[in-house]
Amino acid sequence: MEHGTALGAEAAAELPPEDRHARAEQRLGTAGTAYRTVGGGEAAAANLAWWDADADDYQATHGEFLGDADFVWCPEGLREADARLLGDVRGRRVLEVGCGQAACSRWLAAEGAHAVATDLSAGMLRHARAGNARTGLDVPLVQANAEQLPLADASFDMACSAFGALPFVPSLETVFAEVRRVLRPGAPWVFSVTHPMRWIFPDDPGPQGLTVTQPYFDRTPYVEVDDDGTATYVEYHRTLGDYVRALAATGFALDDLLEPEWPPGHERVWGQWSPLRGKLFPGTAIFRTRRD
């Protein structure tokens, strides 16, 4: 869900927020940032390297919150057990795109679904295998780019993604078309992403993160680069309208758009998500759609 190095709890507590990304950036030789055009090949290579480098630290910090077999849609803590955005999953074949350590898929399996989890990162899938072993929920894991799913046509009854893959690919339409291809007619496709309005604010959970610094309509990708200018991390921005149009263009009907409110008593700071910001504007957008 979050770009950045997630250290163990004790180590993380000793570092100021601006240093949370330091370990993965050091491993990759990140030397600066830029806004520039990035093609699919460069983006895939950069983000594969990033999430492989960050996988251990990410799991160390966020693993307890995400659980071994729990379906958490967003840093606000909305869970599928309460929201039921997918409906009844018993006996259904469910695809999770950008699964990370696959806690969502294991929750689905525990609910009686036949879940399959995909992710670009071998490092994240290593943690997914460990989660399978800890829980005894043997979810099939597939290393794959979301733009090229190695799965059969019309082989799934529903698909989901909780902050997975979509911010890191240059073409929403390509991913949506692939998801549509593997879904049966009428199947739901539900996914959560960082709310697009967050793009205009600094990536800061504190007071500095309340001041607009970036145009909402500037879709130039955010890029971290090494000394040679090669991308080490890439993230793409889309407006709400961009998501809606991409869904319509690829044969999905939008049933609902949820913007979870920050819940009372929830004090967890996750990257740029915090109680301070959460009480003022949304941090997550969840699209509930279905294949036409």
Side-chain angles (χ1 to χ4, degrees):
M1 291 182 188
E2 168 211 5
H3 163 225
T5 300
L7 308 178
E10 293 182 2
E14 296 171 358
L15 291 176
E18 62 269 20
D19 289 338
R20 292 294 301 277
H21 302 173
R23 186 175 294 181
E25 290 172 351
Q26 182 178 22
R27 290 168 180 163
L28 298 174
T30 300
T33 63
Y35 287 89
R36 65 169 173 84
T37 301
V38 183
E42 185 180 12
N47 288 322
L48 171 59
W50 170 267
W51 290 110
D52 281 352
D54 189 50
D56 292 349
D57 294 334
Y58 185 93
Q59 179 65 11
T61 291
H62 301 305
E64 183 178 356
F65 177 71
L66 294 174
D68 271 341
D70 199 0
F71 196 137
V72 184
W73 279 108
C74 52
E76 290 85 355
L78 181 68
R79 284 169 160 76
E80 178 62 9
D82 302 315
R84 297 292 175 179
L85 301 180
L86 292 170
D88 187 0
V89 302
R90 288 173 295 177
R92 304 294 181 89
R93 284 183 54 81
V94 186
L95 171 65
E96 183 182 6
V97 179
C99 67
Q101 51 97 334
C104 298
S105 285
R106 285 190 292 274
W107 181 88
L108 290 164
E111 291 288 302
H114 305 291
V116 175
T118 71
D119 200 277
L120 178 66
S121 167
M124 284 296 192
L125 291 177
R126 175 166 46 81
H127 284 284
R129 289 194 297 274
N132 283 358
R134 284 193 299 271
T135 62
L137 297 166
D138 193 17
V139 171
L141 305 170
V142 180
Q143 185 174 8
N145 189 320
E147 296 179 297
Q148 296 175 313
L149 297 172
L151 303 166
D153 294 358
S155 55
F156 289 91
D157 301 304
M158 55 186 67
C160 60
S161 182
F163 278 73
L166 295 176
F168 311 113
V169 296
S171 172
L172 284 177
E173 289 83 357
T174 301
V175 176
F176 290 169
E178 273 293 271
V179 172
R180 185 184 190 279
R181 179 183 63 79
V182 304
L183 287 177
R184 298 189 174 101
W189 161 228
V190 186
F191 61 90
S192 61
V193 294
T194 302
H195 198 289
M197 75 169 294
R198 287 289 178 106
W199 186 258
I200 70 178
F201 298 100
D203 204 14
D204 187 323
Q208 293 184 0
L210 303 179
T211 302
V212 171
T213 59
Q214 178 74 10
Y216 178 74
F217 299 104
D218 183 358
R219 297 167 176 83
T220 308
Y222 168 79
V223 190
E224 296 179 1
V225 297
D226 62 18
D227 285 327
D228 296 324
T230 302
T232 59
Y233 175 87
V234 181
E235 187 168 337
Y236 294 86
H237 166 60
R238 288 95 182 191
T239 68
L240 283 174
D242 291 339
Y243 280 103
V244 172
R245 285 185 290 273
L247 288 164
T250 51
F252 286 97
L254 178 62
D255 291 331
D256 201 359
L257 171 58
L258 293 85
E259 300 164 295
E261 296 186 40
W262 196 267
H266 184 39
E267 298 300 322
R268 180 182 178 85
V269 174
W270 178 321
Q272 48 105 341
W273 283 266
S274 66
L276 174 65
R277 304 180 91 199
K279 70 180 181 181
L280 296 175
F281 48 85
T284 298
I286 306 177
F287 294 79
R288 188 161 64 88
T289 79
R290 54 187 166 78
R291 183 192 189 277
D292 279 351

